Amino acid sequence: MSKSILMHENGGPEKMQLEEVEVGKPGPGEVKIKHTAIGLNFIDVYTRSGLYKTPLPNAVGREAAGVIVEVGPRTKGFKKGDRVAYCGELGAYCQERIMGVKQLVHVPKGVSDEQAAAIMLKGMTTEYLIDHCAKPWLKKGDIVLFHAAAGGVGLLFGQWAKARGYKAIGTVSSPEKAALAKKNGYKWVINYTKQDVVAEVKKITKGKGVPVVFDGVGKDTWEASLDSLSPRGLMCSFGNASGAVAPQSPGILNAKGSLYLTRPSLGAYTATRADLEASAKSLFKMVKSGKVKIAIDQRYPLGEAAQAHIDLESRKTTGQTILVP
C-alpha cells in the first residue's frame, strides 16, 4: 500500500485528501517508482480547480524524482535502483506509483533528487523559453521582461538569461522578492504594487521597449506586457497564474506595433524522446555548472499538500517548493 493525495472532485485545496492506495506491479514497458521528492507547480492548482480538465480521481501533481524499485517486462533503458525524474505525468502526489518510461529521464550525479523534483517542469520550461521559443528574437546584450521574477520559473529564468548574455527586467510584489530576484540574475526589478511597469520598462530601455516579454501571469499583466514591447516584438504568454486572458482581436497586435504572439507549452517542446532528453540534459548541465543554482525554499509533508496549495495561491512561496513523501 502507498499513501496518495487523491482528488475525487474539482474545487479548493480541501478537495485533496490523503488516502491509502494499492500500487500493484508494473506491466510491459513500465516501472514502479518510490518517490523521494515531489515538485509543486502552479499547473497543479489548475488541475485541482478544474481549469485544466483531467480524469478523476487523480493525484494532481505532474513532477517528481525517486528510485526505481521494480521493472516490468520488456522495459528498456531503465533498471532497478536507477535514480529518475519526470514531469508532465499526472499523478505525482504519492509515495509510490507505476508509470511508463516515456517521460522518465535519468538523474545524473551532481544533481540531487530534491533538485530534480523541484526543477524538471520549471527548468525545462525555462530552457525552452530562452533557448528555443524566444531565441530568434534575441541577441546577446538584449533586455527582456519577465513577470513574477521571484517565483519558481522566475528565479531560474533570471540566472539562465544572465548565463546566455541577456539582461532581464523582473516584476515582483514586495521589497523582499525584489532582493531575491536581484540575487538571481535580474539587472532591474520593478515592484508592480508601487511602480508603473510600462513606464519603468520604457525608462530602462530609453523608450524602445523590449524585444520579448515572458508572461506566465496572464490576465493581470496582459496589457502591460503588450505595451512594454518594441515594434515587432514577441509576446510569450506561457501561463495563467492570475486567470486566463480574455478573448482578443488579432488587430491589437497590429495596433501596438506589428507584434507577434505565442502561447507555448512544455509538451510541444518535449514532444519527442529526443527533445525530452536534450532538454533535460541541457537543464542538468546548467545546474551542475553552477550557472543556475537551485534553492529549495519550502518543504511540506505530502499530507500537507492542501496547505502548500494555499500558500502557493496566496503568493507566500518563493523559488522552488517540494512535497516530501
Side-chain angles (χ1 to χ4, degrees):
M1 300 294 287
S2 169
K3 290 183 179 179
S4 176
I5 293 288
L6 288 183
M7 181 183 68
H8 296 273
E9 61 179 325
N10 296 116
E14 74 282 355
K15 298 297 183 182
M16 299 188 297
Q17 299 295 323
L18 189 65
E19 301 180 21
E20 292 272 345
V21 296
E22 184 71 45
V23 180
K25 297 180 70 66
E30 294 180 332
V31 295
K32 180 188 285 189
I33 300 171
K34 182 179 178 62
H35 286 154
T36 51
I38 301 162
L40 180 75
N41 298 283
F42 220 95
I43 194 172
D44 302 348
V45 174
Y46 303 155
T47 300
R48 189 207 73 222
S49 69
L51 177 63
Y52 289 178
K53 299 300 181 183
T54 56
L56 294 172
N58 67 57
V60 187
R62 299 170 187 260
E63 172 182 49
V67 60
I68 294 176
V69 294
E70 191 173 351
V71 178
R74 299 188 298 280
T75 301
K76 297 180 180 180
F78 296 89
K79 65 183 186 301
K80 184 177 179 179
D82 281 354
R83 294 172 59 232
V84 293
Y86 64 89
C87 71
E89 190 79 16
L90 188 64
Y93 285 13
C94 61
Q95 293 178 326
E96 292 187 353
R97 72 177 301 184
I98 291 171
M99 62 179 287
V101 298
K102 182 179 178 182
Q103 293 298 116
L104 281 183
V105 297
H106 291 94
V107 178
K109 291 181 180 179
V111 178
S112 72
D113 288 7
E114 286 196 348
Q115 288 176 324
I119 64 167
M120 280 290 290
L121 193 149
K122 301 181 191 78
M124 291 199 295
T125 294
T126 302
E127 191 267 345
Y128 88 72
L129 287 174
I130 296 176
D131 289 352
H132 301 285
C133 184
K135 191 173 182 179
W137 269 261
L138 297 173
K139 62 182 184 299
K140 286 188 177 181
D142 278 349
I143 300 173
V144 299
L145 174 64
F146 188 97
H147 290 294
V153 177
L155 295 183
L156 298 177
F157 181 95
Q159 299 177 71
W160 202 299
K162 184 176 181 180
R164 293 293 189 246
Y166 309 131
K167 300 174 183 177
I169 306 169
T171 68
V172 297
S173 61
S174 70
E176 294 77 17
K177 289 187 175 182
L180 186 60
K182 291 283 281 187
K183 288 181 180 178
N184 283 271
Y186 290 88
K187 187 172 179 62
W188 303 276
V189 180
I190 300 169
N191 185 337
Y192 64 81
T193 67
K194 297 181 179 180
Q195 297 171 286
D196 182 284
V197 172
V198 176
E200 292 300 315
V201 169
K202 292 298 177 70
K203 186 186 300 183
I204 291 167
T205 61
K206 297 181 170 59
K208 295 178 181 179
V210 296
V212 184
V213 173
F214 299 89
D215 190 337
V217 176
K219 176 173 62 69
D220 290 353
T221 50
W222 172 260
E223 289 292 338
S225 291
L226 293 183
D227 290 339
S228 295
L229 283 165
S230 58
R232 302 192 303 278
L234 174 67
M235 167 60 160
C236 185
S237 175
F238 69 96
N240 308 296
S242 67
V245 176
Q248 303 287 319
S249 166
I252 192 72
L253 302 175
N254 172 272
K256 292 184 179 291
S258 295
L259 304 179
Y260 292 81
L261 169 66
T262 183
R263 182 60 176 88
S265 70
L266 176 59
Y269 280 87
T270 56
T272 69
R273 183 70 196 178
D275 286 339
L276 174 66
E277 290 183 346
S279 181
K281 182 179 179 180
S282 179
L283 171 61
F284 293 145
K285 180 180 179 181
M286 193 69 88
V287 172
K288 291 172 69 174
S289 74
K291 293 178 181 178
V292 171
K293 294 179 172 59
I294 310 303
I296 311 297
D297 294 329
Q298 295 86 207
R299 293 175 177 82
Y300 298 83
L302 178 62
E304 295 180 13
Q307 186 61 52
H309 275 227
I310 291 169
D311 292 347
L312 179 64
E313 289 184 275
S314 61
R315 301 189 181 185
K316 291 182 179 178
T317 63
T318 58
Q320 317 307 326
T321 304
I322 64 167
L323 304 177
V324 181

